[in-house]
Amino acid sequence: VQTCALPICDGSPTVIAQLADGEVGVCLSQGDSQSGALFMSDYMPQGTKWISIPLSEADEHHYQVKFDAMVVGGKTASNNLLAIVDSGTSFLLFPNSIINQFDQLGVPDVEIDCSNVDDMPTLQFTHSAGTVEIPPAAYIGRLSGSLSKEMAESGVFAWVLDKARTQKRKAMAAKGGGNASATAPTGADEQELGDASIGDWMAGGCAPLIGASDMVEVAILGMPLYRSNAEIGRASCRERV
């Protein structure tokens, strides 16, 4: 097998092609106190539990994995889910059809003050080789100002912005002594509830690092799948895709 996506490639087999079993594992860390790791072939750190799930080559640009199902809080959100595993992003990205299931399954909204993170469901991706679990603390983040601005401008986080907009509308109604259910934005409120203002309001608060788009046909599972942190049970170093 001779494949290379880089222009400097001279036609030699890639590193993965030269491995005995073609297996690679990634463990990324949070913060500066921990270091990440790249595991190749059959090398496995002592005490590490791996779930080895085979990837299939979708085209010349990426590999994908086919999960039997995506389960949210014990309820199936999608069957036969195709996913691209991407350690180069901090987000999860799903087709809108899956995101729409969140409300139907009764998934609560993430409170901007982070008060209900522990109440959010674990995301499970089932496969015959095992189940990969992403706990709430791995897919919910406290947003920096630059990150909340990026989410407000990207276009794929509309559903996150809408959830935050509902919370801000309720806060505005409570502050003004009004009824939150009857607070359609008018006049000056329109600007305060716009995407840019919502992005500013979200800064420092919590939100799911999950995007949605009709342009996405498969799930893109970003860095939360690999995160290693004592507070979330070192999910990445126990599970391998």
Side-chain angles (χ1 to χ4, degrees):
V1 178
Q2 294 187 350
T3 59
C4 186
L6 300 177
I8 60 174
C9 183
D10 61 1
S12 301
T14 62
V15 172
I16 294 179
Q18 296 178 60
L19 297 177
D21 55 15
E23 292 188 354
V24 174
V26 180
C27 179
L28 301 182
S29 64
Q30 284 183 315
D32 298 329
S33 60
Q34 297 175 317
S35 60
L38 174 64
F39 309 120
M40 294 189 176
S41 196
D42 58 358
Y43 170 74
M44 184 185 302
Q46 186 175 3
T48 300
K49 174 186 175 183
W50 294 99
I51 297 175
S52 183
I53 298 177
L55 300 177
S56 60
E57 189 171 0
D59 55 38
E60 62 182 7
H61 301 295
H62 69 271
Y63 289 85
Q64 65 185 22
V65 59
K66 183 176 181 180
F67 290 104
D68 296 327
M70 175 182 174
V71 180
V72 180
K75 301 177 182 178
T76 301
S78 177
N79 290 306
N80 300 319
L81 177 71
L82 291 176
I84 297 171
V85 181
D86 183 3
S87 61
T89 179
S90 297
F91 304 106
L92 304 176
L93 186 62
F94 297 109
N96 276 323
S97 58
I98 292 181
I99 290 299
N100 292 338
Q101 290 288 321
F102 278 53
D103 288 334
Q104 296 181 26
L105 294 176
V107 177
D109 295 344
V110 178
E111 296 293 339
I112 194 72
D113 62 2
C114 311
S115 60
N116 69 334
V117 172
D118 291 339
D119 297 329
M120 300 301 292
T122 292
L123 308 182
Q124 296 177 306
F125 300 86
T126 63
H127 190 277
S128 58
T131 298
V132 177
E133 296 188 345
I134 304 181
Y139 69 83
I140 297 172
R142 186 180 290 275
L143 308 182
S144 65
S146 59
L147 180 55
S148 62
K149 181 179 180 181
E150 177 185 343
M151 294 176 73
E153 295 176 348
S154 72
V156 298
F157 296 100
W159 81 283
V160 175
L161 297 180
D162 285 343
K163 300 293 186 182
R165 199 176 346 263
T166 297
Q167 293 187 49
K168 185 173 183 181
R169 185 178 290 123
K170 291 180 179 179
M172 291 167 61
K175 183 177 180 180
N179 185 339
S181 64
T183 55
T186 58
D189 290 346
E190 190 74 44
Q191 182 175 356
E192 193 169 348
L193 291 169
D195 287 355
S197 295
I198 291 297
D200 292 339
W201 185 71
M202 291 168 59
C206 282
L209 305 178
I210 299 177
S213 174
D214 284 330
M215 298 179 64
V216 177
E217 297 181 355
V218 300
I220 298 177
L221 307 182
M223 194 173 71
L225 188 62
Y226 297 106
R227 281 183 179 164
S228 173
N229 186 291
E231 295 180 357
I232 60 173
R234 300 200 188 104
S236 66
C237 290
R238 293 202 321 269
E239 298 157 352
R240 178 182 183 182
V241 172

